[in-house]
Amino acid sequence: MGNDSTDRIVEGLRRWITTAPPGAQVPSNRELTAEYGASPVTVQKAMRVLAGLGLIESRPGVGTFVRAVRTARPADYAWQTAALGAPPSRLLGLPSAQRSTAPDAIALHAGYPDRELLPERLVRSAIARAARTDAAITRSPVAGMPDLQAWFAAELAGAAPAGVTPPSARDVLILSGSQSGLSSLFRALVGPGQPLLIESPTYWGAILAAAQADVTLVPVASGPNGPDLEDVARAFEQTGARAFYVQPTFANPTGAQWSTQLGRDVLELARRHGAFLIEDDWAHDLAIDADPHPIAAADDDGHVIYIRSLTKSVSPALRVAAVTARGPARDRILADRAAESMYVSGLLQAAALDVVTQSAWRTHLRSLRELLRARRDLLVESLREHAPDAHLELTPQGGLNLWLRLPDGIDAAGIVRACEGRGVIIADGTEWFPAEASAPHIRLNYSGRDPDRYPEAARIIGEEIERASTDHPLRGTAVRAD
Amino acid sequence: MGNDSTDRIVEGLRRWITTAPPGAQVPSNRELTAEYGASPVTVQKAMRVLAGLGLIESRPGVGTFVRAVRTARPADYAWQTAALGAPPSRLLGLPSAQRSTAPDAIALHAGYPDRELLPERLVRSAIARAARTDAAITRSPVAGMPDLQAWFAAELAGAAPAGVTPPSARDVLILSGSQSGLSSLFRALVGPGQPLLIESPTYWGAILAAAQADVTLVPVASGPNGPDLEDVARAFEQTGARAFYVQPTFANPTGAQWSTQLGRDVLELARRHGAFLIEDDWAHDLAIDADPHPIAAADDDGHVIYIRSLTKSVSPALRVAAVTARGPARDRILADRAAESMYVSGLLQAAALDVVTQSAWRTHLRSLRELLRARRDLLVESLREHAPDAHLELTPQGGLNLWLRLPDGIDAAGIVRACEGRGVIIADGTEWFPAEASAPHIRLNYSGRDPDRYPEAARIIGEEIERASTDHPLRGTAVRAD
């Protein structure tokens, strides 16, 4: 340096370089000579300085370019911290049911059935047929394909008692999976900051969707027979809530099934409080010992908003679900869906409808029932033998999960980690509680691959519970294990 | 209903049912098959639709009957009024681009290309192939299929100048259509009540998604060359906004294409204000006279959040899009997507990837370019001849739309209604303005069916503008026409 003109050119070009994209061509020496009124020697000197600083590079015969500095340093995203601000609660990380695992692990955590439980042949041929129809190449109406809407309506209508006006096809809105429905329902029917009654424990996806919609959760304890009616009444009264999210049939995770009377009573409470009952009939096709009787079938005043999904019974790749809603609620939900995703792929709708209207679908459901029964019973039996300390309050009459209470003082997360270290993937029950867990629980899903390894898995789970109980003499008190 | 014969039977029986007494027996399927000359499958389908509509009910072993009418009273949903409260603004009704229309209308309103513009054969065979893979029967990872993520990343990397670190596959999140991306981005990156800069006019779907996410829109006027840099700088400074939603390439509706310099300058502004640029490259595959140069390609500090969709270029039924985002922003968006919809159907992802990795895809894009050019030019020419008062400020170099300014004082909604009455469906430009429209506009989409009817459509549009101008001597003043 040491030369004012050189410095001037170096400073000028440095400023220019900070805004120029890497790789940009630097003005020629001739241009710079003119621009800065400097001699060619001075300009060359400035260029040498800049090259020495690693800011530019010259390609002989081509020109001089801003150096690709950016690759040298790791990207700096720190500026995003201020732009993003603090995250909304509960929206960080993925729940365990969504995790992918090593192929040789025993997966008891996931919520999606193994292919042995799916109507694979039906699904593949339905997709191939749909590929040849207009559905492969056109847009679906926002509310869904009329035939598929009609199918969902007819399913519910089939369960309607005499004297109740069943829903029409127009009352059905097709969704790409029930999760999308939950977000929309909570946004459309409850709204930010407003109270939503919710069973505890309940489906983590509903807790997540509620967090995203920024509604205020009001947990209502729910056991093997569903919630206590008094609790529900009190929650409605104290909070003025206008909606209650429920899983009256083979609830996830507990497996609870409400009695017909409880369903009727809760519907009556909802009526009295001018409230919606959001009934998530997620396991409608996953019955084992009992048949589902949707509360929605008994309502024609628009109190029950009914969600049913085909994702778990048809194929996780045919993400198709439906929400049935009547009155202005239907329009409010449709507007939210349109803003959120416009419409659902007609290909998925056509293929799903094809599957469920084949006579082989009924056959499939019957064999699925037996497969699920065998898997459930094997897992229950294995746990009884190898993990006696994992307490099963209820043998579920349908659904895909066992909900097990661990001895007090045991850290469920610790058990999950220890089992994972030994190749058994299970889910920490904490994720199913909208607030603090009432006790340590784990959830085991019996729809994954390799049911013949259930005894092995149960043995490992049993050993880890045993070890945790022995390691921690505080077991039995309220103190956490680690 | 997707099938003419089914429709015909449904309509016929509906008429019959309106006059039949409740409880009357419906003709047997055999009789209907004969009467309508339709197949048993078609008749059964029609019966399902009618059952779904609650109009008939079947008693096994007995027959099918007109359903004992809908109880005496009409359903009373009035209680929902209090439960739902006032709706969030802008979320009522469907925008005109989503409307379905009579099959003989000239449809210049929709945003989804006619099948002649789609790689139909490629799409059908890709779906058929995907039906045979695991993608038909398994769950996709939440972020998307790794191969498809890699494809989107490579597309952007191909446009990156030397020295810029291109995005990796991990930076790409797969979405079911770009609309879902917009909602998520506005929720995750902006948040309720926070300011979001947005071009005016701009894509109505973005305005809708912003309303749903409850962000506060800050409109920035944007003309044929994009926004004025001073305006953008002022908006950032005055509002402290941390995000700007832009369509720098063949913007919808104006067709505007930003200069490279404007892209660079706006990116620099975003950097200076620690803000995100949400770049919606919706028409990347719909170029005519110019090639897209995404701003995102020049950024590796995570300032540009880049959305690209395949819905309009591959098939409306393969709803697949991607958002590329780096740094913590990526995680924030992923968490929102997981809460909103868990994952995108792997079937759609596999089929879309299959299409865009065939060599025939490149051939298709080349022929698409020529088809779009011919359609655009024909519509421009027709309007010039028959509707000289509809002012086209810019002949778009890509995209699917013409944006036309009507003479001051003309009511765009009135023109839209009048044209619809004459079988020409066009869109009122008002829907593309985040606030009041700066002037009456209409948007004409040249990707619908029957381009040979453009002269006829232009004549009708021209006549209606003429009539509106003559009817209202106040034309030219600021007074609305009706």
Side-chain angles (χ1 to χ4, degrees), chain A residues 163-167 271 296-303 326, chain B residues 71 73 75-77:
Chain A
V164 171
T165 311
R271 285 205 175 108
D299 167 58
D300 55 9
D301 278 328
H303 280 279
R326 312 204 219 185
Chain B
T71 57
R73 58 171 180 80
D76 182 4
Y77 304 127

Side-chain angles (χ1 to χ4, degrees), chain B residues 16-106:
Chain B
W16 178 78
I17 287 167
T18 54
T19 60
Q25 184 157 14
V26 178
S28 72
N29 286 11
R30 181 186 304 251
E31 285 161 350
L32 292 170
T33 307
E35 179 179 343
Y36 286 92
S39 73
V41 173
T42 305
V43 169
Q44 272 161 32
K45 212 163 155 191
M47 299 304 269
R48 272 203 306 276
V49 172
L50 291 167
L53 294 169
L55 295 174
I56 59 171
E57 59 188 348
S58 125
R59 294 182 213 139
V62 186
T64 305
F65 300 86
V66 176
R67 200 154 194 288
V69 174
R70 329 229 113 196
T71 57
R73 58 171 180 80
D76 182 4
Y77 304 127
W79 70 270
Q80 290 188 353
T81 306
L84 290 170
S89 59
R90 276 273 189 185
L91 277 182
L92 285 176
L94 292 179
S96 44
Q98 289 286 317
R99 291 177 43 219
S100 300
T101 54
D104 57 339
I106 309 180

